[in-house]
Amino acid sequence: MKWKQQIYNMKPYQPGKPIDEVKKEYGLEEVVKLASNENPFGSSSKVAEFLRASDTNYAIYPDGYAQNLRTAVAKHLGVKENELIFGNGSDDLIAIITRALLYPGVNTVMADPSFSQYWHNADIEGAEVRKVPTIDGRHDLPAMLAQIDEQTSVVWICSPNNPTGTIVTDDELQQFLAQVPSHVLVVLDEAYIEYVNDPAHKDTLPYYRQYNNLILLRTFSKAYGLAAFRVGYGIAHEDIIAKLDAVRGPFNNTVLSQEVAAIALQDQAFIEQCRVANEKGKAQYVEFCQRYNLNYYPTQTNFILFEVKADSNVVFQEMMKRGFIIRSGAALGAPGYIRVTIGTEAQNAKFLTLLEQVLQEQGVLV
């Protein structure tokens, strides 16, 4: 078979272990997954009410244009309907962008560490990947700008950044956008934007109108608690959307995913409740890190990446034995750290108590 040469040494994306698998492996009755940054509070009760009453004809293809959802999102954000594109999660949109703009002979620029799907998809398309190290977990935009040349096609900014949780400030973003050449598409991935409360981060919606080479990516998988339904969307100038839409699969959102996303969007009170609870949970982790002098990144998300001063793979395994699935920093470009989704107050308290025991066993805490 004539496989692309670049995929021979590639590894598939490694998601967090499923709960049922961990239960079976370790003989546990209860397992809490804090590995994939899902909303620990689930989704709006309006979604559950809809699903209980739903009478959907599953033999009919979904609306390929996602008209009802498109209208709902456009109204919510105050954008035009033809300035939106929908994907099977943000991952789908990242793949669409790379398929449309990346190929052998061009390059793409991104922070490191950041979301792995940027470089993974770029590698598949045979483009040159230029990774720029972060500074204290934050994008080094001047250094990224210096990597841009005539062959650069796409630049990726993840704000808040995964896995560090840090943001690009409004001042930094404005200075960067003003200097990026018009032939380069800037992708601003804002999967966790609903959790941001740093005053240095401003509303980014005005910028896609000011810069025709900017697309914003957002999702219903995180704060809205609809990860199982896989709905992401992009906001950009209509010319960009039209070109990307030509690459998009014809039915890349399901009937149910379109309907529940539109319903979840109506319940902004739920999103606010999740924001408030997330800040309280974040404080639990910050207090723990400060108490034991563990470095942590100032997160603006529903997860936190922090130091354990031990082999992060060992800590990952030990916490899994105790019923908590997290992510080892070794898999995220941050060895010696772990990334933990901020759960409910009770989940956080139990996790930190057990982590304290593990770090004592590892000789970190005395």
Side-chain angles (χ1 to χ4, degrees):
M1 295 183 186
K2 299 183 183 298
W3 300 105
K4 288 182 176 180
Q5 288 299 310
Q6 56 265 33
I7 72 170
Y8 276 99
N9 295 318
M10 276 188 169
K11 295 181 180 179
Y13 179 78
Q14 295 295 319
K17 274 198 170 187
I19 289 175
D20 288 343
E21 182 181 335
V22 174
K23 283 182 177 179
K24 186 183 298 184
E25 184 175 352
Y26 295 105
L28 300 169
E29 292 186 3
E30 181 182 2
V31 170
V32 177
K33 185 183 177 190
L34 300 178
S36 301
N37 310 330
E38 295 128 334
N39 189 334
F41 305 102
S43 56
S44 167
S45 60
K46 295 180 186 295
V47 170
E49 291 169 9
F50 164 78
L51 291 173
R52 281 193 293 267
S54 175
D55 185 23
T56 302
N57 184 350
Y58 298 115
I60 304 299
Y61 280 109
D63 172 12
Y65 193 61
Q67 183 61 67
N68 290 341
L69 177 58
R70 183 179 299 273
T71 299
V73 172
K75 182 179 179 181
H76 176 70
L77 296 177
V79 304
K80 298 177 183 177
E81 292 188 4
N82 63 356
E83 294 174 328
L84 294 169
I85 184 172
F86 292 89
N88 185 31
S90 294
D91 301 320
D92 186 29
L93 296 173
I94 292 167
I96 288 170
I97 290 167
T98 56
R99 188 179 180 191
L101 285 161
L102 297 182
Y103 45 87
V106 302
N107 67 71
T108 181
V109 179
M110 63 200 67
D112 184 32
S114 194
F115 189 39
S116 63
Q117 292 304 289
Y118 308 149
W119 58 259
H120 180 80
N121 281 280
D123 281 346
I124 291 172
E125 300 303 331
E128 177 192 352
V129 174
R130 297 181 177 180
K131 295 182 180 181
V132 177
T134 58
I135 299 177
D136 296 327
R138 301 179 69 249
H139 284 56
D140 185 352
L141 292 185
M144 291 175 66
L145 190 66
Q147 288 294 317
I148 296 173
D149 58 25
E150 286 300 315
Q151 283 68 52
T152 303
S153 187
V154 181
V155 173
W156 307 86
I157 299 176
C158 189
S159 180
N161 188 36
N162 181 5
T164 61
T166 56
I167 61 163
V168 171
T169 68
D170 185 65
D171 288 344
E172 292 170 332
L173 181 61
Q174 286 198 60
Q175 291 177 29
F176 182 77
L177 292 175
Q179 298 177 78
V180 175
S182 59
H183 71 270
V184 177
L185 178 67
V186 179
V187 181
L188 180 55
D189 188 345
E190 301 181 310
Y192 300 92
I193 192 169
E194 288 84 7
Y195 290 107
V196 178
N197 65 1
D198 190 323
H201 183 281
K202 307 296 184 184
D203 180 16
T204 55
L205 276 175
Y207 298 136
Y208 86 90
R209 294 191 178 99
Q210 184 177 352
Y211 298 98
N212 291 347
N213 62 332
L214 172 67
I215 184 169
L216 314 177
L217 300 187
R218 297 183 180 182
T219 184
F220 285 92
S221 294
K222 304 304 179 182
Y224 285 94
L226 299 179
F229 288 97
R230 313 303 300 124
V231 184
Y233 61 97
I235 314 159
H237 189 274
E238 59 191 75
D239 289 345
I240 290 178
I241 297 299
K243 288 183 174 63
L244 294 177
D245 234 354
V247 181
R248 179 182 61 83
F251 303 109
N252 62 334
N253 290 122
T254 67
V255 172
L256 285 178
S257 66
Q258 292 177 22
E259 291 178 324
V260 298
I263 289 167
L265 196 64
Q266 299 170 13
D267 195 353
Q268 290 301 308
F270 171 76
I271 299 299
E272 181 58 28
Q273 291 166 8
C274 293
R275 256 196 300 261
V276 171
N278 187 69
E279 286 302 306
K280 292 179 180 178
K282 188 192 303 183
Q284 291 176 271
Y285 286 91
V286 169
E287 189 278 329
F288 181 88
C289 291
Q290 291 177 340
R291 189 194 329 157
Y292 292 115
N293 195 30
L294 302 172
N295 186 49
Y296 65 94
Y297 291 99
T299 181
Q300 288 290 306
T301 66
N302 68 334
F303 64 82
I304 184 167
L305 181 69
F306 63 96
E307 182 184 32
V308 287
K309 295 183 178 179
D311 186 326
S312 51
N313 286 335
V314 172
V315 174
F316 161 75
Q317 290 289 342
E318 290 299 319
M319 291 306 300
M320 194 155 51
K321 290 178 185 177
R322 290 161 171 80
F324 282 90
I325 309 171
I326 58 173
R327 289 300 297 270
S328 166
L332 302 170
Y337 284 67
I338 57 174
R339 193 192 70 187
V340 184
T341 304
I342 297 168
T344 66
E345 183 178 3
Q347 289 171 345
N348 300 332
K350 184 177 180 181
F351 173 85
L352 291 170
T353 296
L354 294 173
L355 178 61
E356 190 174 40
Q357 295 174 9
V358 169
L359 295 185
Q360 287 172 347
E361 291 174 2
Q362 296 301 309
V364 176
L365 306 180
V366 293

